[in-house]
Amino acid sequence: MGPANKSQLSPSTFWLMGIPGLEHLHVWIGIPFCSMYIVAVMGNVTILAVVRAERSLHEPMFLFLCMLSVTDLVLSTSTLPRMLCLFWMGAHDFAFDACLTQMFFIHSFTAMESGFFLAMAIDRYVAICDPLRHAIILTHNRIAQMGVAVVLRGVGFFTPHPILLKQLPYCRSRIIAHTYCEFMAVVKLACVDTGATKRYSLSVASVIGSCDGFFIALSYVLILRAVFRLPSREASLKALGTCGSHVCVILVFYSTAVFTFLTHRFGHNVAPQVHIFIANMYLLVPPFLNPIVYGIRTKKIREYVVSFLRIKVSDVSKVICRENDNIGRKTDK
């Protein structure tokens, strides 16, 4: 049972409800969520390890991919373990400061994810539309500057969120009808007018999302125009296959994010469980899909992983054969 709706000016804890109406399915819902988290962690860690080990992969595309992998790891790890504790162990109580910290990581790293999608779209545009100047335009120094700019934008725009919420009095229920500490779900619990705070959050999210989405779409339109002009049909199909998989991942991220945004703004009649489930998807699915689409489908990374596994299997086979020979010699004696 949840806590009573007592007046509380400075709550020490909030009470996460989970997915309203689906509490009896929390254990089962946690299974696919946990599976996706494991794949996301293993896939993103593998990408980071491969790019670090193989110097030939120290190119703009793979450096941006590493930045995206770090973002995915932080985003999923700041959400999933706590969510699984809620689903499987009934850990509903969540400390107020921990809630604000989780909120900061979720919103700032979501903005970073969007920024790195844009950076990768720019890289693909330069690589396909101006390949001779690709290395000149996207130097390591410029890549680092772009990465820092994306991080500073995410931190700068979303640092005010926990600060603003920290100043508000909470004299209503401390029950958060969600699986994690989302800004809009928490701000509804304040007992003062929070119109300006809500407008700031929605404005920041809409500006970042719309600007990034516009320039990503523009980049891929220009890429497609260049691809259709390639003389080789095989090269065109290969480029289309690569761009198509990238666009699918980006569409999953932005479509779920836009649905969540519009639900907060207009969708008051949307069922809470639908809204919360979609909100979870836009935090879980991109970290799960990114290593598959950008990693496994990338030839250089796939070849390195396969060769590494072959070497390890060969080493294990040699050790087993050596042990069998030693056992055979001892038996002969």
Side-chain angles (χ1 to χ4, degrees), residues 114-126 129 146 153 206-224 247 250 254:
S114 176
F116 288 128
F117 277 137
L118 174 59
M120 295 176 76
I122 293 171
D123 168 65
R124 289 300 84 203
Y125 164 73
V126 176
C129 299
M146 292 172 68
R153 184 189 69 167
S206 61
V207 168
I208 290 177
S210 58
C211 288
D212 288 353
F214 171 77
F215 286 112
I216 288 172
L218 179 62
S219 297
Y220 278 104
V221 167
L222 296 174
I223 288 171
L224 289 175
V247 169
I250 292 170
Y254 279 102

Side-chain angles (χ1 to χ4, degrees), residues 50-68:
V50 169
V51 175
R52 181 184 178 187
E54 184 56 48
R55 294 190 64 84
S56 65
L57 297 178
H58 293 182
E59 301 172 0
M61 174 183 174
F62 300 107
L63 294 177
F64 284 130
L65 180 57
C66 285
M67 297 178 192
L68 184 66

Side-chain angles (χ1 to χ4, degrees), residues 2-279:
N5 296 345
K6 293 190 253 185
S7 296
Q8 201 167 7
L9 292 175
S10 300
S12 58
T13 62
F14 284 123
W15 199 86
L16 291 175
M17 181 183 293
I19 304 178
L22 298 178
E23 291 88 350
H24 61 291
L25 296 176
H26 277 177
V27 173
W28 298 105
I29 294 172
I31 294 174
F33 281 18
C34 181
S35 302
M36 293 169 67
Y37 176 63
I38 292 171
V39 172
V41 171
M42 291 179 63
N44 285 296
V45 168
T46 299
I47 288 174
L48 292 172
V50 169
V51 175
R52 181 184 178 187
E54 184 56 48
R55 294 190 64 84
S56 65
L57 297 178
H58 293 182
E59 301 172 0
M61 174 183 174
F62 300 107
L63 294 177
F64 284 130
L65 180 57
C66 285
M67 297 178 192
L68 184 66
S69 292
V70 171
T71 304
D72 284 337
L73 286 171
V74 175
L75 191 58
S76 56
T77 302
S78 64
T79 313
L80 255 295
R82 184 62 186 79
M83 195 183 299
L84 293 176
C85 288
L86 168 64
F87 287 160
W88 289 344
M89 294 184 283
H92 292 275
D93 285 322
F94 202 6
F96 181 62
D97 290 335
C99 177
L100 297 184
T101 302
Q102 185 192 56
M103 180 192 306
F104 168 75
F105 276 103
I106 289 173
H107 291 295
S108 61
F109 277 84
T110 299
M112 292 179 206
E113 180 116 352
S114 176
F116 288 128
F117 277 137
L118 174 59
M120 295 176 76
I122 293 171
D123 168 65
R124 289 300 84 203
Y125 164 73
V126 176
I128 293 174
C129 299
D130 197 0
L132 297 180
R133 300 182 61 221
H134 183 228
I136 299 173
I137 295 173
L138 290 175
T139 61
H140 282 191
N141 187 44
R142 190 159 292 163
I143 291 168
Q145 291 174 352
M146 292 172 68
V148 170
V150 169
V151 172
L152 290 179
R153 184 189 69 167
V155 172
F157 277 113
F158 290 98
T159 295
H161 279 59
I163 295 175
L164 289 171
L165 292 181
K166 187 80 172 177
Q167 308 304 317
L168 295 176
Y170 297 90
C171 51
R172 298 178 183 171
S173 167
R174 61 186 182 95
I175 301 175
I176 300 176
H178 217 295
T179 55
Y180 58 85
C181 281
E182 187 195 38
F183 179 82
M184 287 298 178
V186 175
V187 78
K188 291 177 182 177
L189 305 181
C191 56
V192 294
D193 180 25
T194 57
T197 305
K198 291 179 181 178
R199 284 192 294 273
Y200 170 78
S201 178
L202 292 173
S203 299
V204 167
S206 61
V207 168
I208 290 177
S210 58
C211 288
D212 288 353
F214 171 77
F215 286 112
I216 288 172
L218 179 62
S219 297
Y220 278 104
V221 167
L222 296 174
I223 288 171
L224 289 175
R225 189 179 69 172
V227 166
F228 286 126
R229 291 178 179 176
L230 291 175
S232 170
R233 178 177 173 80
E234 183 181 351
S236 297
L237 291 175
K238 182 179 178 181
L240 281 174
T242 302
C243 292
S245 57
H246 292 185
V247 169
C248 287
V249 173
I250 292 170
L251 284 177
V252 169
F253 176 78
Y254 279 102
S255 61
T256 50
V258 168
F259 177 86
T260 302
F261 172 82
L262 293 178
T263 301
H264 283 307
R265 188 68 182 87
F266 306 107
H268 303 296
N269 295 324
V270 176
Q273 54 265 40
V274 174
H275 163 62
I276 293 171
F277 194 80
I278 296 297

